[in-house]
């Protein structure tokens, strides 16, 4: 009888001790399912299987919380940005309705400009969504050819501003979407042209393969930037308010799209201020034939 009672009590205590971590993990799972992503298990004790499971779950919760916060912030910013051109159009129409003598040509021109901006913003949001969902076909592409295509397209804009574009690099094979990688290069070169020194600036576009990595680098002259400010430029709707502003400042999604497309291609995006002023942006992608 003593052995039986001792076995039952010992088994009950041992089972309770073993099930306590599972109970904490279960409770955290239920809280996460109810929308509470800030809760963490923080399981104490030795580094055993339960501790590893709890730590992995905490890491997942932290990433989910950060992702949800980013998505909410993006949705709020997108709503604000889309509402702005609509509000401007409504104001222009109200003014025209209250003043029948107003020149309709000027009204049409202003509405046309506002409409173009709304279309550009909508298209940028669609590209960003497509990259986030990774809904694109991968193929063998050459970053050097893509860079040449992007620079040739934007060369008239650079010449209009008195800027020089210098390209260099060898064949840089990688695997991905030609259209999306062209969007990356175009956004970076356009950004380098727009935020540059007027009439005396330079843009450098280089490509190459380094240690089984396809590398695209876009540098430009410009104002001196701090590392803290540069770290915010990939945020959606960050237009670089401390940089030189022009009428081609864009919709504030250029670098956010670059970051999203780069990540969708299993690559990395690095931004760094140049010591002499301006920005250096590096895109690293797996070279063709590598994972």
């Amino acid at each position: 009888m003593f052995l039986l009672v001792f076995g039952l009590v010992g088994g009950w205590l041992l089972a309770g001790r073993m099930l306590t971590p599972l109970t904490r993990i279960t409770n955290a799972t239920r809280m996460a399912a109810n929308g509470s992503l800030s809760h963490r298990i923080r399981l104490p004790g030795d580094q055993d299987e339960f501790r590893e499971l709890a730590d992995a779950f905490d890491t997942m919760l932290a990433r989910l919380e950060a992702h949800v916060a980013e998505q909410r912030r993006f949705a709020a910013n997108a709503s604000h940005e889309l509402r702005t051109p609509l509000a401007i159009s409504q104001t222009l129409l109200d003014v025209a309705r209250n003043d029948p003598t107003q020149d309709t040509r000027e009204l049409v021109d202003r509405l046309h400009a506002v409409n173009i901006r709304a279309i550009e913003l909508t298209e940028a949001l669609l590209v960003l969504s497509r990259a986030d969902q990774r809904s694109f076909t991968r193929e063998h592409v050459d970053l050097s050819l893509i860079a040449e295509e992007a620079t040739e397209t934007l060369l008239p804009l650079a010449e209009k501003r008195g800027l020089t574009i210098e390209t260099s690099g060898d064949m840089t094979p990688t695997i991905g979407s030609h259209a999306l990688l062209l969007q990356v290069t175009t956004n970076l070169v356009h950004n380098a042209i727009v935020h540059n020194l007027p009439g005396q600036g330079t843009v450098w576009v280089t490509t190459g393969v380094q240690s089984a990595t396809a590398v695209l680098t876009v540098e430009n002259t410009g104002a001196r930037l701090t590392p803290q400010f540069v770290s915010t430029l990939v945020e959606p709707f960050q237009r670089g308010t401390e940089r030189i502003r022009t009428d081609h400042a864009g919709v504030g999604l250029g670098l956010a799209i670059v970051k999203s497309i780069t990540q969708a291609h299993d690559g990395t995006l690095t931004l760094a201020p140049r010591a002499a002023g301006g920005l250096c942006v590096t895109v690293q992608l797996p070279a063709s034939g590598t994972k």
Side-chain angles (χ1 to χ4, degrees), residues 12-27 41 43-44 50:
W12 180 75
L13 293 175
L14 181 61
R17 181 181 180 86
M18 294 293 294
L19 292 177
T20 296
L22 292 179
T23 302
R24 296 184 61 170
I25 296 174
T26 301
N27 292 335
I41 301 173
L43 188 66
F50 289 115

Side-chain angles (χ1 to χ4, degrees), residues 37 62-80 125 128-133 234-237 253 256 259-260 263:
L37 299 178
R63 292 180 178 178
L64 282 175
E65 184 181 20
H67 179 72
V68 170
E70 181 180 354
Q71 291 298 318
R72 288 176 178 173
R73 184 170 61 253
F74 175 79
N77 290 334
S79 299
H80 173 75
L125 290 172
L128 195 59
S129 174
R130 180 186 174 194
D132 289 338
Q133 296 175 3
V234 295
E235 291 291 327
F237 307 108
L253 286 173
K259 177 184 177 182
S260 182
Q263 291 178 341

Side-chain angles (χ1 to χ4, degrees), residues 157 160-161 190 194-195 245-251:
L157 177 61
K160 181 180 178 181
R161 294 169 175 268
H190 182 272
V194 170
H195 303 288
R245 291 298 305 277
T246 69
D247 56 341
H248 293 273
V251 297

Side-chain angles (χ1 to χ4, degrees), residues 29-279:
T29 304
R30 289 173 179 170
M31 295 180 67
N34 293 329
S36 177
L37 299 178
S38 61
H39 177 71
R40 300 292 182 269
I41 301 173
R42 296 188 177 90
L43 188 66
D46 298 332
Q47 193 69 30
D48 54 12
E49 288 78 2
F50 289 115
R51 175 72 180 275
E52 291 180 0
L53 177 61
D55 291 344
F57 194 82
D58 285 345
T59 302
M60 181 190 69
L61 286 178
R63 292 180 178 178
L64 282 175
E65 184 181 20
H67 179 72
V68 170
E70 181 180 354
Q71 291 298 318
R72 288 176 178 173
R73 184 170 61 253
F74 175 79
N77 290 334
S79 299
H80 173 75
E81 293 289 333
L82 286 171
R83 183 175 56 190
T84 299
L86 296 176
I88 294 175
S89 298
Q90 183 64 43
T91 301
L92 292 174
L93 292 173
D94 289 341
V95 171
R97 183 174 57 183
N98 296 330
D99 185 11
T101 62
Q102 186 181 11
D103 185 8
T104 57
R105 181 179 301 176
E106 180 183 358
L107 173 63
V108 171
D109 291 340
R110 297 179 66 181
L111 285 175
H112 178 69
V114 173
N115 187 59
I116 289 178
R117 177 174 175 78
I119 292 175
E120 290 177 349
L121 177 58
T122 304
E123 290 178 347
L125 290 172
L126 290 175
V127 172
L128 195 59
S129 174
R130 180 186 174 194
D132 289 338
Q133 296 175 3
R134 302 196 176 196
S135 57
F136 55 86
T137 303
R138 297 176 182 268
E139 58 183 341
H140 289 274
V141 295
D142 186 354
L143 279 182
S144 63
L145 298 179
I146 292 177
E148 290 181 5
E149 183 178 352
T151 52
E152 289 178 1
T153 302
L154 294 172
L155 185 59
L157 177 61
E159 292 177 344
K160 181 180 178 181
R161 294 169 175 268
L163 304 177
T164 302
I165 300 182
E166 299 181 5
T167 60
S168 62
D170 301 323
M171 180 182 295
T172 310
T174 185
I175 297 178
S177 167
H178 180 276
L180 291 180
L181 293 177
L182 178 60
Q183 183 79 49
V184 166
T185 310
T186 302
N187 284 9
L188 292 179
V189 176
H190 182 272
N191 187 75
I193 294 173
V194 170
H195 303 288
N196 211 313
L197 299 176
Q200 55 181 353
T202 305
V203 177
W204 297 274
V205 182
T206 59
T207 57
V209 177
Q210 302 175 5
S211 302
T213 301
V215 181
L216 167 69
T217 304
V218 179
E219 298 184 62
N220 69 302
T221 53
R224 294 182 181 274
L225 306 174
T226 63
Q228 294 77 13
F229 176 69
V230 169
S231 64
T232 66
L233 294 180
V234 295
E235 291 291 327
F237 307 108
Q238 170 61 260
R239 296 187 184 86
T241 53
E242 296 181 11
R243 293 182 290 173
I244 301 171
R245 291 298 305 277
T246 69
D247 56 341
H248 293 273
V251 297
L253 286 173
L255 289 178
I257 290 176
V258 170
K259 177 184 177 182
S260 182
I261 294 176
T262 301
Q263 291 178 341
H265 286 76
D266 301 319
T268 58
L269 174 68
T270 305
L271 280 71
R274 298 179 68 246
L279 187 67

